[in-house]
Amino acid sequence: MAAWNIQERPAPEPCKENDTGVFEITCRDGRARLGKIHTQHGIVNTPCLLPVINPNIQTISPQDMWSDYGIEALITNSYVIWKHEHLKTKALAEGVHALLNYPGVIMTDSGTFQSYMYGDVEVGVEEIIAFQRDISVDIGTMLDVFTRPDMDENEVEFAVEETHNRAKISIQTAKGMMLNGPIQGGIFPELRRKSARLMGEETFTVHPIGGIVPIMEQHMYEKLAEIILETKPYLPANRPTHLFGCGHPMLFPMAIALGIDLFDSAAYALFARDDRLLCPWGTEKFDQIVEWPITVPCVQSITPKQVREMSKERKTEILARFNLEVTLAELSRCRQAVRDGRIWDLARMRSRQHPALKKAWEFIEKQQKQWIISSQNISNQGGWMYENGCEKSDPRIIKSLENLHQNWRSTTHEKCIIFYGAPSPWRNKLNDIILKIRGINENILILISTPIGLIPYSIEDLHPFAHIEAEDEKWTNPPEMEFIDQQLIALGIDSKSHLIVDMNHEHMYAKICDYLGKEIQKSAHRDVLFREQLTDKMQLFFGVEPETSADLISEVSFIVGGTGRVRNVLDKEGNHLFSPSLTNGSLAATALGGLWLSKQKPRPPGVVVDEHAEPFVRKGRNVFHGFILSVDKEVKQGDICLIYNQSGEYIAIGKAECEATEMTLFKKGIAVRVRDGLKNVEGHDSKT
Ligand code: GUN
């Protein structure tokens, strides 16, 4: 069956001794993350699935997992090995990697699941840890106490406490072996939080969320979502989180969007034995299908009918491969969605395909957890599908609107004109008329009506407002008065009067003249609009008040690109300070722009780096975790971050890759993506 043999995929490289067990994050999308777990048997790229290998029945062999599927880590059960003399003897003599003939990372479970399925197990808490250590497991698991959804609160509380009581002795016995610290708590949010807090205080490497198999089996996905939401924020962010026993691809996008890094499951093999096919939208029966629901490599040249005619064993292997390939493909899709900043869209789309999942997703969106909203990157790009009510449920939109409503303040509000009628780009339609309005009076507020809210014209190119894809009527129907009133309040505008104008209307000019009580004659210079844009974007992206930026902005000049948009903002000496992004409308500062920002009150938040990092950061190299001495608590993932040296001198500017609390927690990976350092600037390069 193998398309190529094991020799063709080299053995994994061990990580540096000091990095063993370190979890590094390479990309974030809200709370979703791509990471790397460093181990002596190679790097595990997350999110990923650890296929369950039953050492007695191998539907797909571990060698094939490694060579055919590039599986970097798998999970097997130390209790099963311990119980079977022939497996135990070989594992103790040669190690678990030789037993399974697998060169990658091996995680083992402890027998807890067997105790849930079959009653008590006869192995001791320390004994099973010592055994995992003796057979050279990479990541072992302590013997936790399984919490079933039908248990009452007292029983669950006992299980949570007993699991925690066993934690210290398990860690001691592990003698440095990486260890899973499972989170229990049944269906009780308070106990899930308690378990996460208690277990998070111990030195575990990974935290699996346990006790969820019966919850998933009963399709209680809303409960599952609640359990993740009540657990994740209370766990140390620098440890991978695992969903014990979750292997249905349908659940991956939702779980990943909520910050899950690892999955494990025997589902690919168990479902195959029952003639069931795993698909990203649910489970399909195999027995009568004429065509495969998805074409994956293992079934490309074979029909379902041909597979049905095979021996039971061969059929099970092909269906298991089908299930595994579909599962891996969905994980690839999820990881790419994280890179594209679109995991929320994928999770929402998948949730539509199953009623219980839809309910779970609605529950998540209704919760409006600040923990999720605060981590959203509002400087994304690309088309954005509007859905009714998304302004109250989609964390990216909530964050964008919060940012606008909290940080933007109108400096002009004598009168107010609200344009509606078409999607962006609005500048092509409106720039001329707005310059004419400014020619009459600079003190008139100009807003645009979008399906998610009113925005000032100065941010007409800003994501997501400029990238909304909605049905035509959402643009062409005049906005309702109630919507306008609510929006004006949210924007802090108490305008005495406003005019609502259809930007497609042929008599638009006449209406506006009428409202202003003046004839439109001379246009203002385009720099007037550029200055408004800069003032407002400095409020939104750097938290700089209009009064603070006024002097600087009155003196800057603009370099304008071929499309008539500002490329660079220069100070009066001609130094480059800022650049608006042409793709998402955000504003970036150069090292000198950052220097100016660092001198303002209040200034944008930042971090202090140590003396080893300073020379590199000054040259514009990224700030890595492990070199940060302190961090302002206002630092937010995706937002501007000033960088200082140990003496408190500003040295560079960048974008925070994580939240303030994570800056010093992580030990590896990029903490601040530096845009520019002072060393690159003449007159500021005195330090090495
Ligand atoms: N496998 C599936 N669920 C669990 C759990 O709660 N604990 C352990 N140790 N393994 C599991």
Side-chain angles (χ1 to χ4, degrees), residues 109-113 141-142 144 146 182 184 209-213 244-245:
D109 203 347
S110 56
T112 299
F113 195 66
T141 303
M142 61 167 284
D144 49 323
F146 197 94
Q184 294 293 343
I209 300 181
I212 55 172
V213 168
F244 249 153

Side-chain angles (χ1 to χ4, degrees), residues 119-273:
D120 260 357
V121 290
E122 60 271 31
V123 75
V125 172
E126 288 159 77
E127 196 179 4
I128 196 65
I129 296 283
F131 179 66
Q132 293 174 77
R133 195 191 65 212
D134 291 345
I135 63 172
S136 303
V137 158
D138 292 291
I139 307 173
T141 303
M142 61 167 284
L143 196 65
D144 49 323
V145 183
F146 197 94
T147 50
R148 300 187 317 270
D150 62 334
M151 283 165 119
D152 70 27
E153 204 164 346
N154 288 335
E155 288 173 298
V156 174
E157 181 150 34
F158 172 80
V160 164
E161 284 171 1
E162 179 57 21
T163 298
H164 179 239
N165 290 341
R166 297 175 180 181
K168 278 203 170 58
I169 187 69
S170 300
I171 290 168
Q172 259 172 34
T173 312
K175 296 203 176 116
M177 171 180 68
M178 292 183 261
L179 212 53
N180 276 324
I183 308 303
Q184 294 293 343
I187 54 167
F188 301 101
E190 189 53 50
L191 293 177
R192 286 284 171 185
R193 285 201 285 272
K194 177 171 173 173
S195 181
R197 278 202 207 95
L198 289 173
M199 299 296 276
E201 280 165 13
E202 311 297 338
T203 54
F204 289 108
T205 303
V206 179
H207 287 293
I209 300 181
I212 55 172
V213 168
I215 289 174
M216 293 184 292
E217 281 170 351
Q218 293 165 47
H219 296 165
M220 297 161 67
Y221 299 141
E222 187 176 339
K223 261 290 158 229
L224 179 68
E226 183 180 44
I227 289 170
I228 302 174
L229 282 174
E230 295 298 342
T231 307
K232 262 306 288 187
Y234 303 95
L235 287 173
N238 61 337
R239 296 182 192 166
T241 315
H242 177 158
L243 274 193
F244 249 153
C246 174
H248 200 303
M250 179 173 80
L251 296 169
F252 293 163
M254 176 180 93
I256 290 171
L258 300 183
I260 299 297
D261 309 293
L262 296 171
F263 301 89
D264 82 89
S265 177
Y268 69 98
L270 299 178
F271 279 54
R273 259 172 248 160

Side-chain angles (χ1 to χ4, degrees), residues 419 433 499-515 520:
F419 287 100
I433 179 91
L499 173 72
I500 301 173
V501 195
D502 181 352
M503 63 180 89
N504 308 306
H505 203 284
E506 57 177 324
H507 301 304
M508 172 167 74
Y509 280 71
K511 275 183 115 175
I512 292 171
C513 291
D514 211 31
Y515 173 66
I520 288 178

